[in-house]
Amino acid sequence: MNTYKYIYLLFLCFVSSFLHAQKCVNPNFEAYRLDFRDLGYPAATDIPADNSPIASLLAHSNGKVYGATSGKQSYLFVNDFMTNKVYPLGQIPQAKGVHNAIVEGKDGVIYIGTGLNELELLTLSRDIPYGRRSIEYKLWEDIKSKYKNFEGGHIYCYNPMVGDDDVYLQNSTAQLEDLGVAVPGNSIYALTINCRKDKIYGISYPDAIFFECDLTTKTIKSHGKWMTMKSYPGPERSWRGIPRSLVCMPDGKVYSSGDNGLIHYFDPEDNTIQSTTLRIPGEYWETQNYNGFPVVEQLISYQDSCILGSTSDGFIFKINMANNKLIVLGKPRVERRVRAMTLGNDQRLYMICGEKDNVCRMFSYDLSDKGEGFLDYGVLGVDRSPYYAKIGYQFDAMCTAKDGTIFIGESDRRAKLFFYIPEGNIVEGALNPTNPR
């Protein structure tokens, strides 16, 4: 018996030493400022792993944060600051994804644009016919085939005052009002709202149709193609380059990038889409016989007449519409893409940077008079061992809650809702010395 006890103790010592040797990568700031929450209660209300990737977040005026997932089935959820928990709000009907498409309207009502899972990478054809631009033509066929039997993304209306207090299980349906299909055979790729006019504006994927939803009459109409050129700038070569964000400015005009990377805008006075001479920063492949140009990733209205933006090539820029000037603020990371971005209450622009085949990192850019430029917050790793630990690799949504907390939506399988409490200090030398190197 003593021999068995001795062997068992040796085994426990071996296991404990092995576990002690495992290292979690910590961020480059005080680790207690970063944490995450599960999307519901395990084995009861939690959103299934395959349906948990987050690609849309909304900081609501009620202090809560709402989000939607993508996968085989899309779910709506809410983070309640009063309980510090995430509660699923049910399945979104006829939806596999919600991509940058949640906005708040009058009286706190939430509007959601749905579609297919736009985080998913396509399986491309192997047999490519010979000929000029044959690869591009075949790629477009592959992209369109995904939407062959798809009805189109819906616009739904959700009232938090009605739906938030109910309990939703995994198979429950969210309490939504269906306003109809925005563009037949297309997903809704991005939304913005003009609350003063009670109108939602959006762009579709893959046909880049710009549409308008009148919330008073509950009607949807198309304004035609936002862009006509087909570009596959990457780094995800199976995606058509379509802007992933729209912004409605105080004058009612809606801005984003368009053909050849030029800033376009929709003028509601005459219902036309116009092009400017402002070009977003990035790679334009001038020496190659290829229509390649970057697209906008995020756009944020700033002050009265300024727009803060990011591009698929990883640049951050600022547009002053008053003097028609675009200023490039920089590129925080060598890799391309700014996956998510939000403006903090501390006058810092927070962003998640990195490509899909690598680990994302968080950065900020100081917009105050201090002029501190970019700061590298590092990899978003949470280590609360022995209770829980996780390194976040992929993120595609951010927002700033009413209290200033930065929420970050993970877009991997079995995703979590991360959050960062600002005012942290970057460690000296900008690399956390506790991390393995």
Side-chain angles (χ1 to χ4, degrees):
M1 190 68 176
N2 289 334
T3 302
Y4 287 121
K5 286 183 178 180
Y6 180 70
I7 294 173
Y8 180 67
L9 287 173
L10 284 177
F11 174 75
L12 288 179
C13 290
F14 171 77
V15 171
S16 63
S17 64
F18 175 77
L19 292 175
H20 179 72
Q22 302 304 300
K23 287 282 188 178
C24 181
V25 177
N26 291 297
N28 297 335
F29 52 87
E30 299 97 329
Y32 68 86
R33 292 183 176 274
L34 181 70
D35 213 331
F36 65 79
R37 293 292 176 264
D38 293 326
L39 303 184
Y41 286 92
T45 65
D46 62 330
I47 297 174
D50 288 335
N51 300 323
S52 63
I54 303 167
S56 284
L57 288 175
L58 169 69
H60 199 277
S61 59
N62 64 11
K64 298 178 182 179
V65 169
Y66 294 83
T69 67
S70 295
K72 300 175 182 177
Q73 168 64 54
S74 182
Y75 284 77
L76 186 66
F77 66 85
V78 61
N79 180 84
D80 192 338
F81 65 97
M82 297 296 289
T83 61
N84 198 23
K85 290 182 174 64
V86 174
Y87 299 98
L89 296 174
Q91 297 181 5
I92 302 175
Q94 307 172 73
K96 292 185 177 181
V98 177
H99 184 274
N100 296 341
I102 304 181
V103 294
E104 180 183 355
K106 288 183 178 179
D107 301 321
V109 174
I110 296 171
Y111 298 93
I112 306 159
T114 69
L116 300 183
N117 179 9
E118 299 306 339
L119 297 176
E120 183 181 39
L121 296 177
L122 291 177
T123 300
L124 302 179
S125 300
R126 289 180 175 271
D127 298 325
I128 307 296
Y130 179 78
R132 185 175 183 271
R133 297 195 181 278
S134 60
I135 295 178
E136 294 176 51
Y137 297 149
K138 191 61 179 177
L139 178 54
W140 179 241
E141 288 180 13
D142 287 344
I143 290 173
K144 287 290 289 182
S145 66
K146 176 180 176 180
Y147 304 86
K148 184 177 181 180
N149 298 313
F150 178 50
E151 177 189 20
H154 291 244
I155 296 178
Y156 288 103
C157 173
Y158 174 78
N159 189 343
M161 297 292 291
V162 175
D164 277 10
D165 292 334
D166 284 357
V167 176
Y168 301 83
L169 300 178
Q170 288 185 346
N171 294 324
S172 299
T173 302
Q175 299 185 44
L176 303 170
E177 178 187 356
D178 189 356
L179 302 184
V181 173
V183 180
N186 277 237
S187 291
I188 297 173
Y189 209 45
L191 287 182
T192 189
I193 188 168
N194 185 336
C195 288
R196 288 181 295 181
K197 297 293 186 179
D198 270 343
K199 290 186 177 180
I200 290 174
Y201 298 99
I203 191 168
S204 75
Y205 186 92
D207 290 327
I209 303 297
F210 183 75
F211 63 89
E212 168 190 322
C213 178
D214 190 317
L215 300 177
T216 303
T217 61
K218 296 184 179 179
T219 57
I220 301 172
K221 67 177 179 179
S222 170
H223 291 289
K225 292 186 177 182
W226 183 266
M227 57 199 306
T228 58
M229 299 175 65
K230 294 182 177 66
S231 172
Y232 310 96
E236 299 85 5
R237 296 291 183 182
S238 62
W239 291 351
R240 181 187 176 188
I242 292 177
R244 301 176 181 120
S245 181
L246 301 165
V247 63
C248 183
M249 297 301 284
D251 62 1
K253 293 179 180 178
V254 179
Y255 289 84
S256 193
S257 66
D259 288 338
N260 285 314
L262 293 172
I263 294 295
H264 287 22
Y265 67 90
F266 171 76
D267 190 341
E269 294 298 324
D270 57 11
N271 289 333
T272 58
I273 298 172
Q274 304 289 338
S275 178
T276 71
T277 58
L278 302 175
R279 197 184 304 274
I280 64 174
E283 181 61 67
Y284 285 87
W285 312 93
E286 297 95 333
T287 61
Q288 301 184 28
N289 186 20
Y290 171 61
N291 294 327
F293 51 86
V295 296
V296 153
E297 292 268 18
Q298 294 88 28
L299 293 174
I300 300 171
S301 178
Y302 181 61
Q303 298 175 342
D304 291 331
S305 60
C306 292
I307 299 173
L308 300 170
S310 64
T311 79
S312 55
D313 279 344
F315 288 89
I316 309 298
F317 63 89
K318 177 182 177 181
I319 301 176
N320 189 332
M321 300 310 301
N323 59 17
N324 199 40
K325 287 189 176 180
L326 187 151
I327 300 171
V328 180
L329 301 180
K331 189 175 188 294
R333 191 171 183 181
V334 173
E335 286 191 7
R336 303 165 68 191
R337 291 208 65 193
V338 178
R339 303 283 288 278
M341 189 169 73
T342 186
L343 180 61
N345 293 349
D346 56 357
Q347 285 298 293
R348 291 186 185 274
L349 195 60
Y350 292 90
M351 63 210 72
I352 297 291
C353 301
E355 300 177 13
K356 286 182 74 70
D357 58 354
N358 206 345
V359 186
C360 287
R361 300 174 71 89
M362 187 168 79
F363 296 83
S364 73
Y365 183 85
D366 184 14
L367 295 166
S368 72
D369 294 335
K370 295 179 182 178
E372 293 180 348
F374 288 103
L375 292 178
D376 182 0
Y377 292 74
V379 174
L380 299 186
V382 174
D383 185 5
R384 302 292 183 270
S385 54
Y387 305 105
Y388 61 91
K390 182 179 179 68
I391 298 174
Y393 286 78
Q394 301 293 306
F395 299 91
D396 277 279
M398 294 181 88
C399 70
T400 304
K402 197 172 183 179
D403 66 357
T405 303
I406 307 298
F407 282 84
I408 313 156
E410 188 181 13
S411 54
D412 262 337
R413 186 178 184 273
R414 207 178 300 278
K416 313 294 182 183
L417 181 62
F418 282 66
F419 62 89
Y420 165 71
I421 302 173
E423 304 299 333
N425 297 308
I426 301 295
V427 298
E428 187 174 352
L431 287 178
N432 193 321
T434 66
N435 289 334
R437 292 186 61 79

